[in-house]
Structures are given as structure tokens and as C-alpha cells.
Amino acid sequence: MPNVTVVGAQWGDEGKGKIVDWLSEKADIIVRFQGGHNAGHTLVVKGVTYKLKLLPSGIVRKNKISIIGNGVVIDPWALLEEIKQIEKLGIKITKKNLYIAENANLILPLHRELDGIREDIKNTDKIGTTRRGIGPAYEDKIGRRGVRLMDLANKKNLSKKIDMILFHHNSIRKGLKKKLINKKKLINDLNKISSKILIYSKPVWKKINEFKKKKKIIVFEGAQGMLLDIDHGTYPYVTSSNTVAGAASAGAGCGPDTINYILSIVKAYTTRVGEGPFPTELKNKIGNQIGLKGKEFGTVTNRKRRCGWFDAVLVKQSCTISGTKGIALTKIDVLDELKYIYVCVAYKLNGKKIDFFPSSLQDQTKVEPVYKKFNGWLKNTSGIKKWQDLPKNTQKYIKFIKSYCGVKISSISTSPRREDTILLENPFKKN
């Protein structure tokens, strides 16, 4: 049975958590491979709601191993608090069901502070970050001055690492006339929590290779969406990591041949959080209606999401870049009460029609959507579990998405509940 890599095909918040949790029933290992605790996944299982940020969605299932890969940046304090909260809901987390890559980079308090300082500086464009230090932590990783999980095990080496990172950060803070970081306090804070986090530390690349040899089934779980990818998204209004499917290989420490089936999660309409271009955004009653019905508020920040019509151009582009084999379509029930539904099928840019989303920010903000109109179904689809039970107009809408994007619809989610899923193609089945 092939492994499955799950990524978002829009600006995140597509419902990856539920789909990964659903897939986890068949899988043995669930690996989170990029991002940080800026991306939340909400699961509803037997009436209990779990809000995960760093922990892979498979953690709520028994007899599964959840892995946080080296591509993730980890705030150790946030992770320990998340573990504490999830354990209160009856989920036992130990070194037997949670592995963390020893070479994963850490988010320190100085990263969170710098994130906030930058967002608050006047006369600069706001990116709309979650202020959790994700970007600054990735900067230090690429700048080769980051502190990694394994560094907590060696106090002498940790001291040298802190010297390197403070040379950089205190220089910035001095220039911005901010209070300098106290090395002694930072090291003491890290030493207090090091033993609690190091128990999960493992050479994850080696473990994944062992699982592969044993023919264990692996689900690779992405965070955010392709349109927030540092290279392929709406730059600079993006996250600080690669969110495309190919990042699973580097972020988990395994060869591309391990990735296999790529499943893109796609919401039946479009949302985004924070600043940046959004061609199909609806700043009207319909946009508000979709937001309220879809409960479009961030799991991590509780920020209200911007809502708009389905952008088929963007989804097709995302699926092409990630090499998508199947689409898991979510939140179709949110559109139940709309008389007419529109899908963006092209753009107009400077008077010309184009069939792709340009890379230039200037062009991205200028494109005008070209829409195809659909009749709504005005019937309840929530909880439907069979394709034939969907209203005819719902089926037409879904078939068009499949045809336009050139990708099979493998499943349709009709509510946040785990069981309310229509399976059309099994991602684990060999083709």
C-alpha cells in the first residue's frame, strides 16, 4: 500500500486535520514535515474537539506513531503546553507514540519578540504573521545559527550556540533600540524544559527508513497551503517554509520515492487569513454568510478569515506544482443555502485573458476573476456519506472542479465529523 502525502491547495485552512485523521485509521505512522505552531488543525472525534498546532493529527488515535520532522520549527514551551492540553482530553502521549527529529530547529522567545517587533514597526508593509516566531526561526536556520533540539543535551555546546544567535539578534535589537536578550536567563529557561522535550528526540530519518523496510504505511502531513509556499505562493505574503508536496521528502528525511500518492485538500470555496492578494474575495453579505456558516475563524489565532468564491485557476496551479493525484474536497455543505455559486475559471490582466496566477505581486493584485455561474442546490448536504445521495447540482459543481483541475476527486467531506466523508478513490490502493 502506498504512502500518502497530504497538502493544502489553497491558502491553508482547507480541513487537512480531519482528512489526515481519517487517513490515519489505515496508516501506521503520521509525519508532520514543515511549518510551526502557527497552523492549527481541528479534529472532531466522537463529540470531542481537539485543536492541534504542532502535534500530528494521528496523535488522537491509539497504536499510531506521530512524528515531528526536521522541517518543522518547534517552540518547546508551546509544544509542552499542547501536550498537556491534549492529555487532559484523554490522549496519552509518550516517547513511544511521539518522535521529534533531533535536528529540528527551535523557536526561542527572542524569535517571537522579533516577529512582533517587525509587525509593529510603522511605515512598513504588514505581512500578517501570527507573531509566533516562525519566520525569524527559519531565518536563523538558514543563517546557520539556529538552536536545534539536540543542542539541549549538551550545555557547553548550547552556550556556544546561544552566543552565536545572540550576536545576531542583539545587534538587531540594539539598532531598533530594544532591550538586549539576557543570555543567562535564556539558557536557564531552556535547561528547565530540556529534559521534558529531549525524551521525544530521535534520528527520525533513520526511523522512517526502518518503517519503510517493514512496509509500514506512512501519512505525511503538511501545514498551511500551497499558496503560502515561500517560493510558489503570494510572496511576500507567505509563510517561511515550502508547503508543496515535495517538501515532505526534505522535511522528514526520506527519499522522494517514499512520498507516493499526493492528496491535495481543497475547500469548496476560498479563504485566506492575513494580508495579501485574494482575487475572488467577497466583501459583502455572501462573504459574511460563508464565513459564519463555515465557522471561518483561525484555530490558532481566532482571526476571522477572508472568504470568496472557489478559484479553480489557483487550485489547478497548486495541484500541478505538487503533482497531485487526488483531491479531497471539504466543506461542500457550507454552500447549501446559496441560490447561485460562482467559480473563477480565468483572469483578466491588463485587458488580456490568462489561465494562470502570475508570480508578480503587482500582477496578482491587478488580476480580475472571470467567473462561471452555477445554480445552487438549496438542499442540506451535511452528513451525506454516499455520492448518489448528493443533490444533482452539487454533483455538477464537483464534476466541474474535477474536469477543470484535471485531477480525480478522491473524497468529499460533508461536515467536520470524521465519519461524514464520501470516499470515491482509496489513496492507499495501488493504481
Side-chain angles (χ1 to χ4, degrees), residues 10-12 125-128 227-229 232-239 270-283 306-309 311 314 347 349 357-369:
Q10 293 153 306
W11 277 291
D125 291 333
K126 301 289 185 289
I127 299 299
L227 296 170
L228 293 175
D229 185 274
H232 301 287
T234 48
Y235 188 90
Y237 300 99
V238 292
T239 193
T270 311
T271 64
R272 88 168 292 173
V273 173
E275 307 300 322
F278 187 170
T280 64
E281 184 174 10
L282 292 168
K283 298 179 181 179
R306 299 154 63 191
C307 298
W309 295 123
D311 194 327
L314 285 178
Y347 302 119
L349 177 62
F357 194 54
S359 297
S360 162
L361 178 63
Q362 290 71 30
D363 288 343
Q364 289 175 356
T365 55
K366 286 195 297 183
V367 294
E368 298 175 19

Side-chain angles (χ1 to χ4, degrees), residues 182-198:
N182 184 301
K183 177 186 174 182
K184 185 176 179 181
K185 182 180 184 308
L186 178 56
I187 288 180
N188 285 341
D189 288 345
L190 285 167
N191 285 336
K192 283 179 185 177
I193 55 98
S194 61
S195 61
K196 296 176 183 177
I197 202 86
L198 281 169

Side-chain angles (χ1 to χ4, degrees), residues 33-160:
F33 61 84
Q34 51 76 220
H37 65 307
N38 55 338
H41 290 168
T42 301
L43 313 179
V44 181
V45 183
K46 294 181 180 177
V48 180
T49 299
Y50 302 94
K51 294 191 175 184
L52 306 177
K53 302 177 185 70
L54 275 166
L55 292 170
S57 297
I59 201 72
V60 302
R61 286 188 179 272
K62 290 182 179 180
N63 304 317
K64 310 291 179 182
I65 294 175
S66 290
I67 296 177
I68 300 176
N70 57 275
V72 180
V73 285
I74 301 165
D75 182 324
W77 295 275
L79 178 58
L80 290 173
E81 179 59 28
E82 187 177 338
I83 290 172
K84 185 177 169 183
Q85 293 303 318
I86 294 302
E87 287 188 328
K88 283 182 181 178
L89 296 172
I91 304 298
K92 191 171 178 61
I93 299 173
T94 70
K95 62 182 180 180
K96 291 184 178 180
N97 68 345
L98 177 64
Y99 301 169
I100 304 176
E102 60 185 2
N103 54 336
N105 275 247
L106 301 182
I107 299 173
L108 305 178
L110 56 87
H111 293 128
R112 294 196 301 269
E113 290 173 21
L114 181 58
D115 218 353
I117 289 168
R118 285 174 172 168
E119 283 290 290
D120 292 335
I121 291 175
K122 294 180 180 178
N123 303 320
T124 60
D125 291 333
K126 301 289 185 289
I127 299 299
T129 75
T130 56
R131 297 172 180 256
R132 280 162 170 71
I134 312 298
Y138 273 117
E139 287 178 44
D140 284 338
K141 175 180 177 177
I142 299 302
R144 294 167 292 187
R145 55 182 170 266
V147 176
R148 303 196 288 181
L149 179 58
M150 65 177 74
D151 296 326
L152 299 183
N154 187 317
K155 291 184 179 180
K156 187 177 179 181
N157 185 51
L158 178 61
S159 180
K160 289 180 181 179

Side-chain angles (χ1 to χ4, degrees), residues 146-357:
V147 176
R148 303 196 288 181
L149 179 58
M150 65 177 74
D151 296 326
L152 299 183
N154 187 317
K155 291 184 179 180
K156 187 177 179 181
N157 185 51
L158 178 61
S159 180
K160 289 180 181 179
K161 288 273 191 169
I162 297 298
D163 282 337
M164 286 177 63
I165 203 167
L166 289 189
F167 176 77
H168 176 78
H169 280 266
N170 277 337
S171 297
I172 294 173
R173 295 174 76 96
K174 187 176 181 181
L176 294 172
K177 297 180 181 179
K178 300 293 181 181
K179 186 179 177 181
L180 302 187
I181 303 295
N182 184 301
K183 177 186 174 182
K184 185 176 179 181
K185 182 180 184 308
L186 178 56
I187 288 180
N188 285 341
D189 288 345
L190 285 167
N191 285 336
K192 283 179 185 177
I193 55 98
S194 61
S195 61
K196 296 176 183 177
I197 202 86
L198 281 169
I199 60 170
Y200 304 109
S201 178
K202 284 186 173 61
V204 160
W205 66 270
K206 190 172 186 296
K207 290 293 182 182
I208 290 177
N209 189 52
E210 290 171 5
F211 294 138
K212 188 178 172 183
K213 288 180 178 178
K214 292 176 182 177
K215 301 192 183 303
K216 298 289 185 181
I217 302 169
I218 306 171
V219 169
F220 295 93
E221 177 182 17
Q224 297 136 322
M226 205 291 292
L227 296 170
L228 293 175
D229 185 274
I230 189 68
D231 289 309
H232 301 287
T234 48
Y235 188 90
Y237 300 99
V238 292
T239 193
S240 301
S241 60
N242 286 113
T243 60
V244 294
S249 179
C254 59
D257 63 320
T258 311
I259 296 175
N260 305 139
Y261 190 100
I262 296 163
L263 181 67
S264 283
I265 315 302
V266 176
K267 193 182 288 186
Y269 49 97
T270 311
T271 64
R272 88 168 292 173
V273 173
E275 307 300 322
F278 187 170
T280 64
E281 184 174 10
L282 292 168
K283 298 179 181 179
N284 56 21
K285 288 183 180 179
I286 293 177
N288 288 331
Q289 181 182 340
I290 291 172
L292 289 171
K293 181 84 185 286
K295 296 177 181 175
E296 295 297 348
F297 298 91
T299 301
V300 174
T301 62
N302 204 37
R303 286 188 294 179
K304 185 179 178 181
R305 297 175 187 143
R306 299 154 63 191
C307 298
W309 295 123
F310 187 85
D311 194 327
V313 180
L314 285 178
V315 171
K316 182 177 182 179
Q317 192 160 319
S318 295
C319 290
T320 300
I321 292 170
S322 274
T324 302
K325 292 290 197 309
I327 285 174
L329 191 66
T330 65
K331 291 197 166 186
I332 194 73
D333 55 304
V334 174
L335 304 179
D336 286 352
E337 297 166 9
L338 298 176
K339 186 176 181 180
Y340 299 108
I341 300 169
Y342 294 82
V343 173
C344 175
V345 295
Y347 302 119
K348 281 185 180 177
L349 177 62
N350 300 324
K352 294 182 179 179
K353 196 173 179 180
I354 59 173
D355 61 354
F356 68 98
F357 194 54

